[in-house]
Amino acid sequence: VMLQDGEALVMDFGIAKALSAASTDTLTQTGMMVGTPAYVSPEQAAGETVIDGRSDQYSLACVLYEMVSGRKPFLGATAQAILSKRFSDPIPSLRSVYSETTDEVETAMSRAMAKDSSERFSTTMDFAKALVATQVTTPDGSPIHGGASGGKSIAVMPFTNMSSDPEGDFFADGIADEIITALSKIKALKVSSRSSSFSFKGKNEDIREIGRKLQASTILEGSVRKAGKRLRLTAQLVNAANNEQLWAERYDRELEDVFQIQDEIAQSIVAALRVVLSDDEKRAIEQVHTPNVEAYGFYLRGRQYFHQHRRKSHEYARQMFERAIELDPDYALAHSGVADCCSFLYQYFDASPSNLKRADAASRRALELAPGLAEAHASRGLAVSLSERFEEADTEFEMALRLDPKSFEAAYFYARSCIAQGRNEPAAKWFERAISVRPDDYASLALLAGVYSSLGEPEKSIQASRRAYDTARKHLELTPDDPRALYMGAMSLTTLGESEKAREWNRRALAMDPDDPSVLYNIACAFATENQSDEAIDALTKALDNGFGHWKWIEHDVDLDSLRDNPAFIALLLRKPSETETGAP
């Protein structure tokens, strides 16, 4: 393993030795051990002829041990002495040589280095998942990220608005958001989520610190000045480890060239990071969804409102998307945006028949205009799942994921749709898929913990809860006024036995937005989990009174299981409107 441009590369799997051995017909001699003594597994050291991936898992743990501590797990004067220690000495403790090691990492490393291969993780992916909850650093302070993929990583910062008009903020943020969306379609590139990157907006934080917090090796910064029909856009790509500029460009163009500029920036990043694109990925990042720049401006503004996850913001976002459609009736992404706004309003804030009908119509129109657009299929899947047409929803979500395997929204809402049907095994699968795309999404992790609990897998539930709490806590350090992070984090704290802290977080969420149906619903879940049925019923009643309308979720939410036999809860379920009342298509 060697360093090249600051990244670890596996340079040799013993290929040269294998070829040399093959030339003398000694490649598979019985009892022969081929490997580096410091890293081989006990079974490999013993010369066993039948080994599997758990041997590689052991070797990987040895490499990680050395990366964290600066020393090999087994030391000796000779190769034979080193090998014998695998059998005679206890499993080496990482914490004994590096005191900052967390419980999670210590446990995972000890298991991966078990002498008996049957006691290790079933797969190396399970080992990776056990490490992903924690970030540790090497003795010189460099981060080692258990959850980072081995490939290139980037965080796109919100672009600075250099225009005198404050409305330019929407345009500047929107361009950064669009670049995030384009780069997220590239399989070989790990892209920090919008919520994580945008939490640094307005903060004068050091690039190295941003890279450490977002687990990103590179940072894209930029600025936008819009004056009439002229546009000046600057962008630079920086190495987060040493603040070295990898690429920079300034664009002085007409406003209508904004689509070409975004494409050029994405292509320049790909070139700077030496990422090879597939034909599908090239088409995805080059795609222009509307030729109308004014419609695009309204669409960007709608996106900014949509991400705020509040009733008023979704209503404003819908208005912006509808204005974009007035300017370009064939703008499929804007139709998809309208559908998502109506779906979110229906399930979280206003369960009125009009929202359900509008979500259905807008998602259908988006698909008619762009049947090859993953976002349109995801929007359609969400809309029809709320109408309880689950087979159709499954088809749409799966098509979205075929078109864009890195679609977080498709995987996340597919998982939620499965929960609404009581199908917990596929729900776990799709939440895991969503988390692989966006590891810092605390909501997916918190919901996954509940799914694993219902499947009778307490260890996985605890692990997911730890990760959910950790990601919610980190998010709140950057965005302390987010009630959703508080109540989702509280859910995880309850699972971890931190009841008092969970209550504190829920109190903070409720104080921020006491009438929000989502806050009230999750407060009800917290009370129900702690068997405080009266308080749970009261909060759930308020949530329904204020517009919460995802009835299928209520029927299958494991957090409400303690209320199932409660007469007051049964009475609340009777409030569910019929299909005739909802106007479900």
Side-chain angles (χ1 to χ4, degrees):
V1 180
M2 302 183 71
L3 288 177
Q4 178 178 327
D5 298 331
E7 294 191 14
L9 300 177
V10 177
M11 303 298 290
D12 173 31
F13 275 107
I15 295 170
K17 187 170 184 68
L19 290 174
S20 174
S23 66
T24 57
D25 297 323
T26 58
L27 180 59
T28 57
Q29 288 181 13
T30 302
M32 178 182 178
M33 192 283 289
V34 177
T36 307
Y39 309 104
V40 296
S41 65
E43 59 270 27
Q44 194 175 359
E48 294 182 15
T49 57
V50 180
I51 59 175
D52 57 22
R54 288 171 296 186
S55 177
D56 295 328
Q57 182 187 133
Y58 183 99
S59 299
L60 173 61
C62 291
V63 172
L64 293 176
Y65 187 103
E66 185 175 356
M67 289 172 68
V68 174
S69 69
R71 53 162 284 181
K72 295 176 175 63
F74 296 102
L75 301 173
T78 65
Q80 191 59 42
I82 294 171
L83 291 173
S84 67
K85 287 188 176 184
R86 277 166 165 62
F87 305 98
S88 60
D89 287 9
I91 299 171
S93 166
L94 181 58
R95 183 176 284 142
S96 68
V97 290
Y98 183 59
S99 61
E100 298 300 314
T101 303
T102 63
D103 291 340
E104 293 87 354
V105 168
E106 177 76 359
T107 301
M109 292 287 284
S110 295
R111 183 174 173 185
M113 294 177 70
K115 295 179 182 181
D116 186 341
S117 64
S118 66
E119 296 177 4
R120 296 175 204 149
F121 292 95
S122 298
T123 67
T124 304
M125 179 58 73
D126 288 339
F127 179 30
K129 289 175 181 176
L131 292 171
V132 80
T134 300
Q135 174 181 308
V136 294
T137 58
T138 59
D140 68 357
S142 303
I144 291 178
H145 306 299
S149 68
K152 318 289 183 177
S153 57
I154 185 171
V156 180
M157 295 293 101
F159 281 24
T160 303
N161 173 30
M162 304 298 289
S163 310
S164 57
D165 183 2
E167 288 290 301
D169 274 353
F170 288 107
F171 195 78
D173 285 355
I175 287 178
D177 193 13
E178 287 287 276
I179 293 172
I180 290 172
T181 300
L183 295 177
S184 295
K185 297 180 184 297
I186 301 173
K187 189 174 182 180
L189 195 58
K190 177 181 176 289
V191 184
S192 294
S193 68
R194 179 193 185 278
S195 61
S196 296
S197 295
F198 275 54
S199 64
F200 288 92
K201 184 175 181 178
K203 299 176 183 176
N204 188 25
E205 191 131 12
D206 181 75
I207 286 289
R208 287 178 288 258
E209 187 65 12
I210 293 174
R212 185 188 70 78
K213 289 181 177 178
L214 297 183
Q215 302 186 25
S217 60
T218 54
I219 306 291
L220 181 72
E221 299 180 303
S223 66
V224 179
R225 183 187 298 276
K226 188 159 72 81
K229 294 191 175 183
R230 292 292 298 175
L231 178 70
R232 169 173 289 179
L233 193 152
T234 65
Q236 66 167 348
L237 185 67
V238 180
N239 185 324
N242 56 18
N243 220 359
E244 176 190 359
Q245 187 181 80
L246 302 176
W247 164 84
E249 189 61 81
R250 188 179 85 178
Y251 304 88
D252 286 296
R253 306 276 185 85
E254 296 295 320
L255 186 59
E256 64 187 19
D257 293 330
V258 64
F259 308 113
Q260 183 180 350
I261 293 171
Q262 289 174 178
D263 175 49
E264 288 180 20
I265 291 174
Q267 297 285 1
S268 296
I269 291 169
V270 165
L273 298 181
R274 298 195 293 276
V275 173
V276 179
L277 299 181
S278 68
D279 290 340
D280 287 343
E281 289 170 337
K282 287 178 184 176
R283 284 191 290 270
I285 66 174
E286 291 170 357
Q287 194 170 9
V288 175
H289 297 286
T290 178
N292 189 311
V293 176
E294 189 178 359
Y296 181 63
F298 279 108
Y299 173 76
L300 293 182
R301 188 177 300 188
R303 284 280 294 271
Q304 303 315 302
Y305 282 126
F306 181 80
H307 287 298
Q308 295 172 22
H309 200 71
R310 286 179 167 85
R311 176 172 180 161
K312 283 294 182 186
S313 64
H314 286 312
E315 290 172 346
Y316 289 145
R318 180 172 61 186
Q319 293 172 20
M320 294 300 101
F321 292 139
E322 288 172 343
R323 185 74 182 95
I325 292 168
E326 289 175 13
L327 294 165
D328 180 1
D330 295 335
Y331 197 169
L333 271 180
H335 286 282
S336 182
V338 169
D340 289 343
C341 286
C342 293
S343 291
F344 273 58
L345 285 167
Y346 178 81
Q347 64 181 329
Y348 296 121
F349 307 104
D350 178 13
S352 63
S354 60
N355 277 327
L356 197 59
K357 288 180 180 178
R358 187 77 177 96
D360 184 82
S363 61
R364 186 187 305 113
R365 181 58 180 153
L367 270 186
E368 290 170 354
L369 291 167
L373 186 65
E375 289 89 339
H377 286 280
S379 296
R380 183 65 178 165
L382 175 58
V384 299
S385 71
L386 295 175
S387 296
E388 300 182 17
R389 291 145 59 192
F390 294 116
E391 286 188 15
E392 184 179 351
D394 290 357
T395 300
E396 296 298 343
F397 288 133
E398 286 167 11
M399 177 57 75
L401 288 162
R402 278 197 292 273
L403 291 168
D404 180 7
K406 291 185 70 177
S407 171
F408 168 82
E409 288 76 15
Y412 177 72
F413 283 108
Y414 197 176
R416 290 185 62 106
S417 175
C418 289
I419 287 181
Q421 302 169 64
R423 297 167 54 211
N424 287 314
E425 287 190 9
K429 169 186 172 182
W430 296 117
F431 275 133
E432 291 280 15
R433 174 79 165 263
I435 292 162
S436 71
V437 174
R438 197 175 293 173
D440 59 353
D441 188 71
Y442 53 81
S444 299
L445 287 161
L447 293 170
L448 176 62
V451 170
Y452 277 138
S453 177
S454 67
L455 289 171
E457 299 192 55
E459 287 186 13
K460 289 185 176 181
S461 179
I462 292 294
Q463 187 183 99
S465 292
R466 265 199 209 100
R467 292 172 59 192
Y469 163 67
D470 193 48
T471 53
R473 177 182 56 77
K474 290 175 182 176
H475 177 82
L476 287 165
E477 287 174 359
L478 301 172
T479 314
D481 60 345
D482 186 344
R484 186 166 181 256
L486 283 166
Y487 64 67
M488 296 301 284
M491 182 192 306
S492 302
L493 284 166
T494 300
T495 303
L496 296 171
E498 299 276 355
S499 299
E500 186 52 46
K501 191 170 184 178
R503 284 191 284 271
E504 177 201 340
W505 280 35
N506 277 324
R507 282 193 294 268
R508 287 167 57 190
L510 196 59
M512 286 179 190
D513 215 337
D515 298 319
D516 183 283
S518 291
V519 174
L520 289 163
Y521 177 81
N522 282 277
I523 296 292
C525 290
F527 281 131
T529 301
E530 295 192 347
N531 293 310
Q532 295 176 266
S533 54
D534 291 343
E535 293 86 348
I537 293 294
D538 181 59
L540 185 56
T541 301
K542 289 178 181 177
L544 294 171
D545 289 344
N546 286 338
F548 190 88
H550 202 340
W551 288 96
K552 275 291 182 182
W553 189 268
I554 295 172
E555 290 172 6
H556 292 285
D557 194 337
V558 295
D559 290 332
L560 299 177
D561 283 352
S562 67
L563 303 177
R564 299 294 171 195
D565 297 328
N566 189 305
F569 179 76
I570 294 169
L572 284 179
L573 290 179
L574 295 176
R575 291 175 53 176
K576 178 182 177 180
S578 65
E579 287 192 8
T580 303
E581 291 172 304
T582 62

